[in-house]
């Protein structure tokens, strides 16, 4: 059964992997990933040769390729940060994207069976979300569950799912201060549940085990300006998550979190992380209220229009915190321009 499930949407989904090293980790994912097309975004030194195991269908882009394809607009793609992965979203021609980090291995469920993370993400994306009313049995579309008594019938159709956010066994996705005070903490709890994140509620989106419908939300999946030359890192996926949630709420789209799990194999250095996160830890106390209060006008009928309007609000309101946000808001506009150049018409008329 795992094998047939693996082939779901094989011509409609790309797997995007950011990396600075050889991709030996793909061997364990071979039964699940081999039928799919991979987009590998090489970060760091473009002269380094990245080895990919035989048998995988892939294209690889390094910094030179990014500069060549985007020209001056390549300035919106982060360097020396996994945020570079969003270039893969831009060059993909498929409807769905699954992105995973190269230190994420195959997890096992409590029965010891290997988890086909990709198949679960596809399941999440193909089923509706229920952001407008919380179902206490979690995902009502799952086998063995349903809408509970008192759930309005008018809301039971749900809305299209734009994003599926997966979780991690072993090393949890903690910030540096939490890593420092809990260096030995490991996640051993496998919670067999998928939830729709309610409308009006933000969440911390992690990019290491994530899938989304590129046609529905792709242009908003920008992982910001991080890493080399920037005053902040490790907030790339968070930034994208805050932006997509505000836009999904506006456009009537859903975001799910929970299954599938991957096995996160190694903890990054908390002292290095602290240097990257330092500004973000302070700034997020103002960024979060900004996104919680953000509203988009009725004129925002496409993802691109939503994103451009959000970028203006970022410049106007967050620009007061630090000049970095003025730079970031300009990069958000550049990202949309680059997206539309590489994806003419097909996406610009979509939700």
């Amino acid at each position: 059964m795992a094998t047939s499930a693996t082939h779901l949407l094989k011509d409609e989904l790309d797997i995007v992997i950011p990396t600075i090293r050889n991709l030996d980790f793909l061997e364990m994912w071979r039964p699940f990933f081999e039928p799919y097309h991979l987009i590998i975004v090489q970060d760091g030194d473009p002269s380094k040769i990245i080895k990919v195991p035989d048998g995988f269908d892939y294209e690889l882009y390094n910094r030179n390729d990014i500069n060549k394809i985007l020209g001056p607009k390549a300035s919106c793609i982060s360097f020396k940060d996994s945020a570079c992965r969003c270039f893969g979203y831009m060059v993909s021609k498929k409807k769905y994207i699954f992105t995973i980090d190269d230190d994420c291995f195959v997890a096992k469920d409590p029965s010891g069976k290997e988890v086909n993370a990709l198949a679960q993400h596809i399941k999440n994306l193909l089923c509706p979300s229920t952001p407008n009313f919380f179902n206490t049995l979690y995902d009502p579309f799952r086998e063995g569950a349903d809408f509970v008594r008192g759930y309005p019938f008018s809301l039971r159709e749900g809305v299209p799912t734009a994003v599926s956010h997966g979780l991690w066994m072993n090393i949890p996705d903690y910030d540096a201060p939490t890593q420092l005070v809990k260096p030995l903490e490991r996640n051993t709890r496998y919670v067999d549940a998928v939830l729709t994140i309610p409308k009006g509620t933000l969440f911390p989106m992690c990019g290491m085990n994530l899938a989304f419908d590129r046609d529905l939300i792709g242009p908003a999946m920008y992982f910001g300006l991080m890493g080399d030359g920037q005053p902040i890192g490790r907030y790339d996926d968070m930034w994208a998550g805050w932006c997509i949630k505000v836009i999904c709420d506006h456009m009537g789209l859903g975001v799910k979190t929970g299954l599938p799990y991957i096995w996160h194999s190694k903890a990054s250095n908390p002292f290095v992380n602290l240097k990257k996160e330092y500004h973000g830890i302070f700034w997020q106390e103002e960024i979060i209220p900004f996104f919680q209060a953000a509203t988009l006008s009725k004129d925002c009928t496409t993802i691109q229009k939503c994103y451009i309007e959000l970028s203006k609000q970022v410049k106007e309101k967050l620009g007061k915190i630090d000049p970095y946000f003025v730079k970031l808001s300009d990069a958000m506009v550049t990202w949309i321009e680059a997206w539309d150049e590489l994806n003419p018409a097909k996406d610009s008329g979509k939700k």
Side-chain angles (χ1 to χ4, degrees):
M1 171 148 182
T3 314
S4 61
T6 316
H7 293 76
L8 271 173
L9 304 178
K10 83 177 172 69
D11 299 321
E12 295 178 71
L13 184 143
D14 278 336
I15 300 172
V16 174
I17 306 166
T19 194
I20 55 168
R21 58 180 67 87
N22 293 337
L23 294 179
D24 304 332
F25 92 114
L26 284 172
E27 280 299 347
M28 75 179 67
W29 286 102
R30 189 181 289 278
F32 307 121
F33 288 2
E34 199 168 25
Y36 295 88
H37 180 67
L38 311 181
I39 298 177
I40 298 158
V41 185
Q42 179 180 343
D43 198 14
D45 180 5
S47 66
K48 184 179 175 184
I49 303 298
I50 299 284
K51 290 179 183 166
V52 181
D54 291 343
F56 286 94
D57 169 38
Y58 71 94
E59 52 195 299
L60 186 149
Y61 298 93
N62 62 30
R63 193 70 207 187
N64 295 339
D65 301 317
I66 294 171
N67 291 339
K68 190 176 170 187
I69 291 165
L70 295 184
K73 291 189 176 70
S75 63
C76 73
I77 305 296
S78 300
F79 183 56
K80 294 188 177 170
D81 194 283
S82 64
C84 67
R85 78 177 78 223
C86 62
F87 177 76
Y89 310 161
M90 188 187 272
V91 295
S92 170
K93 300 300 172 201
K94 305 285 175 62
K95 178 172 167 56
Y96 300 99
I97 296 283
F98 169 53
T99 186
I100 186 171
D101 284 5
D102 59 17
D103 61 352
C104 293
F105 300 167
V106 179
K108 291 185 175 174
D109 70 15
S111 73
K113 184 183 170 196
E114 291 196 331
V115 175
N116 183 346
L118 183 48
Q120 180 65 48
H121 274 301
I122 290 169
K123 208 179 275 189
N124 293 350
L125 289 169
L126 295 181
C127 274
S129 293
T130 52
N132 298 309
F133 201 88
F134 190 79
N135 190 53
T136 50
L137 267 184
Y138 310 127
D139 184 358
F141 299 101
R142 197 170 172 190
E143 197 177 324
D146 211 320
F147 293 99
V148 296
R149 182 170 57 88
Y151 200 101
F153 284 87
S154 58
L155 295 176
R156 292 190 182 195
E157 268 187 29
V159 303
T161 301
V163 180
S164 170
H165 177 257
L167 299 174
W168 344 271
M169 300 300 291
N170 196 35
I171 308 287
D173 187 29
Y174 285 161
D175 54 33
T178 311
Q179 278 185 295
L180 286 165
V181 296
K182 293 181 161 184
L184 301 178
E185 185 151 290
R186 301 291 180 264
N187 181 36
T188 56
R189 284 174 17 133
Y190 185 102
V191 180
D192 188 10
V194 178
L195 294 83
T196 295
I197 300 170
K199 186 175 181 179
T201 300
L202 295 173
F203 75 112
M205 188 173 86
C206 172
M208 71 171 114
N209 173 23
L210 180 74
F212 59 93
D213 185 321
R214 191 175 169 277
D215 286 357
L216 286 181
I217 198 65
M221 250 326 156
Y222 175 46
F223 275 41
L225 275 182
M226 304 280 153
D228 201 46
Q230 309 303 335
I232 187 173
R234 283 175 55 83
Y235 274 86
D236 51 331
D237 41 10
M238 299 293 142
W239 182 261
W242 298 327
C243 291
I244 62 99
K245 190 57 170 65
V246 167
I247 292 171
C248 282
D249 286 353
H250 173 78
M251 298 293 284
L253 300 169
V255 178
K256 292 180 180 177
T257 187
L259 301 179
Y261 282 90
I262 51 83
W263 176 271
H264 187 206
S265 64
K266 66 175 188 286
S268 44
N269 186 314
F271 295 102
V272 173
N273 290 347
L274 189 57
K275 282 177 80 172
K276 292 178 181 178
E277 293 171 7
Y278 179 76
H279 287 108
I281 289 167
F282 291 99
W283 289 346
Q284 71 184 9
E285 299 306 322
E286 294 182 67
I287 297 171
I288 301 293
F290 160 76
F291 279 107
Q292 285 174 325
T295 55
L296 300 169
S297 68
K298 286 182 181 172
D299 298 335
C300 294
T301 52
T302 66
I303 300 301
Q304 280 90 334
K305 285 177 182 173
C306 289
Y307 204 70
I308 295 295
E309 181 159 321
L310 201 50
S311 76
K312 289 174 185 166
Q313 293 179 27
V314 167
K315 181 173 279 189
E316 180 196 336
K317 293 180 178 163
L318 295 182
K320 295 168 189 167
I321 300 174
D322 192 273
Y324 165 74
F325 291 99
V326 175
K327 194 177 173 185
L328 177 56
S329 70
D330 290 339
M332 291 168 75
V333 175
T334 304
W335 160 266
I336 291 294
E337 289 169 355
W339 182 283
D340 284 345
E341 273 180 29
L342 290 183
N343 301 278
K346 182 186 174 221
D347 286 281
S348 56
K350 296 258 179 192
K351 258 188 174 182

